[in-house]
Amino acid sequence: MGQSIGVFDSGLGGLSVYREIKKLLPGQRIIYFADHKNAPYGTRKEKEIRNLTIRAIEFLKQKSCSPVVIACNTATTGGIDFYRRKFPNISFVGVVPPIKPAAIGSKSKKIVILSTTATSKSKYLKRLIKWFARDCKVWNFGCPELVEAVENGTVDREKTKSMLRRYLDKPLKDGADSIVFGCTHFPFLSKVIKEVSGSGIKILEPSKPVATQVRRIYQNDQRSWSKNVKILDKFYTSGNSRTISQVATKLLKRGINFQNAY
Ligand code: DGL
């Protein structure tokens, strides 16, 4: 077996990134690991997030994964440089909120960032806002309940919509025209967000550029990669694989079978 692409998230949000990588590299095996046992990461401290992420990377390393995509903003903003130093032989691709394109593209210069509690408070995010959105009014919300709605497969319930209204009503009334996702779970809420905020709102999320970056690494390093188009992806979780498979199947609208990681 050649090298596989590793994709890691605390839970199912990383499937939004997985889905885009699969579109660009359909013949490449992807190994997905979700650390449900320790999820959510977004309510944890930075040091804990780093330690858990290191364990996840070790799991994917054992399965010959490189690059490893940290398909979790919380884990990326919490320590991507740290993981790069600790695992010099692995190529990492991280996921961060696309604040720069949002600020450039916003006509009203008013943007909303939805992420986890940890990401919303992180130095990394504050720096991105300072560097790239200085000229914008920014609403920076940590929204752990929205992560939960995706994990429970309850994205289109009325309760989720009213949570979204609670965050979005004021900024929208004030003229915000862009919503930036700082959490990989939230692309699964895009449809509901459009329902709540109207189709004129621009949603920015980084899964496509992340997938393009993974393909770039692939193109630079073709020889060590497997070429078998029939190869099957593998999905591992540290949580309850049966329930998780059901929600994942609903999110990706195709059969996804998680197995227990250990
Ligand atoms: N999907 C993760 C992110 O992008 C975090 C969800 C969580 O565990 O809180 O930040």
Side-chain angles (χ1 to χ4, degrees), residues 12 36 144-157 159-160 163 185 243 246-248 250-251:
L12 295 177
H36 281 100
E145 324 85 328
L146 298 179
V147 174
E148 226 179 284
V150 174
E151 286 295 332
N152 296 337
T154 56
V155 289
D156 39 20
R157 298 254 170 95
K159 194 175 154 208
T160 311
M163 277 185 311
H185 281 70
T243 354
Q246 282 163 6
V247 181
K250 200 168 154 191
L251 292 174

Side-chain angles (χ1 to χ4, degrees), residues 9-11 13-14 39-43 71-75 95 116 119 147 182-185:
D9 184 31
S10 60
Y41 279 18
T43 47
C72 175
N73 293 259
T74 308
V95 173
T116 62
T119 301
V147 174
C183 174
T184 52
H185 281 70

Side-chain angles (χ1 to χ4, degrees), residues 73 97-99 111-117 119-120 125 138-144 146-147 163-164 166-168 171 178-187 189 193 203-204:
N73 293 259
I99 290 171
I111 64 178
V112 183
I113 305 167
L114 302 179
S115 69
T116 62
T117 311
T119 301
S120 69
L125 184 77
V138 175
W139 287 266
N140 174 14
F141 296 126
C143 325
L146 298 179
V147 174
M163 277 185 311
L164 281 166
R166 234 184 33 230
Y167 289 116
L168 298 175
S178 308
I179 300 174
V180 180
F181 289 164
C183 174
T184 52
H185 281 70
F186 299 167
L189 291 163
I193 291 185
I203 292 178
L204 294 102

Side-chain angles (χ1 to χ4, degrees), residues 24-221:
L24 295 189
L25 293 167
Q28 186 55 52
R29 189 203 291 273
I30 301 178
I31 299 186
Y32 188 95
F33 173 61
D35 188 14
H36 281 100
K37 182 168 168 252
N38 299 299
Y41 279 18
T43 47
R44 291 180 179 276
K45 298 217 162 59
E46 195 170 279
K47 192 156 181 238
E48 279 177 317
I49 296 166
R50 278 187 187 185
N51 289 339
L52 291 169
T53 305
I54 285 169
R55 267 170 36 204
I57 296 166
E58 266 155 7
F59 177 82
L60 290 169
K61 188 179 160 199
Q62 263 174 28
K63 305 227 169 284
S64 308
C65 292
S66 182
V68 168
V69 182
I70 308 290
C72 175
N73 293 259
T74 308
T76 303
T77 54
I80 187 79
D81 295 333
F82 180 77
Y83 317 134
R84 287 194 169 114
R85 278 198 303 273
K86 186 147 177 82
F87 300 94
N89 297 325
I90 295 178
S91 311
F92 286 101
V93 182
V95 173
V96 291
I99 290 171
K100 186 178 179 184
I104 293 171
S106 169
K107 290 208 174 79
S108 61
K109 295 291 164 203
K110 293 179 182 177
I111 64 178
V112 183
I113 305 167
L114 302 179
S115 69
T116 62
T117 311
T119 301
S120 69
K121 290 186 177 155
S122 68
K123 282 195 200 106
Y124 199 114
L125 184 77
K126 292 196 174 133
R127 233 179 289 144
L128 290 180
I129 296 173
K130 200 168 137 199
W131 285 343
F132 302 121
R134 230 179 232 285
D135 58 342
C136 293
K137 178 163 171 55
V138 175
W139 287 266
N140 174 14
F141 296 126
C143 325
E145 324 85 328
L146 298 179
V147 174
E148 226 179 284
V150 174
E151 286 295 332
N152 296 337
T154 56
V155 289
D156 39 20
R157 298 254 170 95
E158 196 42 52
K159 194 175 154 208
T160 311
K161 291 181 191 166
S162 60
M163 277 185 311
L164 281 166
R165 282 190 203 101
R166 234 184 33 230
Y167 289 116
L168 298 175
D169 273 359
K170 175 147 194 327
L172 291 174
K173 232 178 260 160
D174 268 21
D177 62 2
S178 308
I179 300 174
V180 180
F181 289 164
C183 174
T184 52
H185 281 70
F186 299 167
F188 294 112
L189 291 163
S190 293
K191 204 171 138 239
V192 192
I193 291 185
K194 291 235 157 150
E195 264 177 63
V196 167
S197 54
S199 53
I201 198 88
K202 208 161 143 192
I203 292 178
L204 294 102
E205 60 92 7
S207 58
K208 284 197 174 78
V210 166
T212 307
Q213 174 64 5
V214 174
R215 185 174 56 185
R216 206 170 295 135
I217 294 173
Y218 171 79
Q219 283 163 344
N220 288 341
D221 179 33

